[in-house]
């Protein structure tokens, strides 16, 4: 049973930065595709970013107000930790951010579908004020 614990959330002004961490225990993180999702008040949970087991495959949400160029997902399998560096934050980034782990045999595959993820953290609040 993999347990995921997020940290690093908080309140910042628009344009600021935060670095979220997701520490895993009870399992070997290198066996899992990792993802970050977020849920804003009154909205459905949405995919943000995913990284393959090897770290070479990365994908970000592709939308008009994309996080591409502002957010960076990374992982340190030796530390059993995944990160989400968030720069140039906007008020619309305000949400609870969750990390999740998807068991996958491929070391290169990524996963954007939340149904593929077996383990979820409890979430960390990110609030961006204008």
């Amino acid at each position: 049973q993999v347990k995921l614990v997020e940290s690093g959330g908080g309140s910042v002004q628009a344009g600021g930065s935060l670095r979220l961490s997701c520490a895993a225990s009870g399992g070997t993180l290198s066996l899992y595709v990792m993802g970050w999702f977020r849920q804003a008040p009154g909205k459905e949970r949405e995919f943000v970013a995913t990284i393959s087991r090897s770290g070479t495959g990365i994908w970000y949400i592709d939308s008009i107000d994309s996080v591409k160029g502002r957010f960076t997902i990374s992982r340190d399998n030796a530390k059993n930790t995944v990160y989400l560096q968030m720069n140039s934050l906007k008020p619309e980034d305000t949400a609870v951010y969750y990390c999740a782990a998807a068991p996958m045999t491929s070391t290169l595959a990524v996963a954007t579908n939340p149904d593929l993820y077996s383990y979820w953290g409890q979430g960390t609040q990110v609030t961006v004020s204008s």
Side-chain angles (χ1 to χ4, degrees), residues 35-111:
W36 285 98
F37 295 79
R38 67 186 181 185
Q39 187 167 20
K43 295 186 177 181
E44 294 186 353
R45 180 179 55 191
E46 66 175 353
F47 161 77
V48 175
T50 178
I51 186 167
S52 65
R53 288 175 51 193
S54 65
T56 56
I58 292 175
W59 193 258
Y60 298 97
I61 182 174
D62 186 12
S63 64
I64 296 175
D65 191 22
S66 177
V67 303
K68 289 182 180 179
R70 300 191 296 122
F71 291 10
T72 303
I73 187 172
S74 62
R75 66 190 297 159
D76 186 336
N77 287 337
K79 295 183 178 180
N80 259 13
T81 303
V82 178
Y83 306 96
L84 186 67
Q85 177 68 44
M86 305 186 295
N87 299 326
S88 302
L89 283 162
K90 304 176 182 180
E92 48 265 45
D93 293 319
T94 294
V96 177
Y97 283 71
Y98 301 89
C99 73
M104 206 163 291
T105 55
S106 169
T107 59
L108 301 178
V110 296

Side-chain angles (χ1 to χ4, degrees), residues 8-11 18 20 39-41 93-97 123-128:
S11 297
L18 286 173
L20 305 184
Q39 187 167 20
D93 293 319
T94 294
V96 177
Y97 283 71
T124 185
Q125 176 71 46
V126 171
T127 303
V128 185

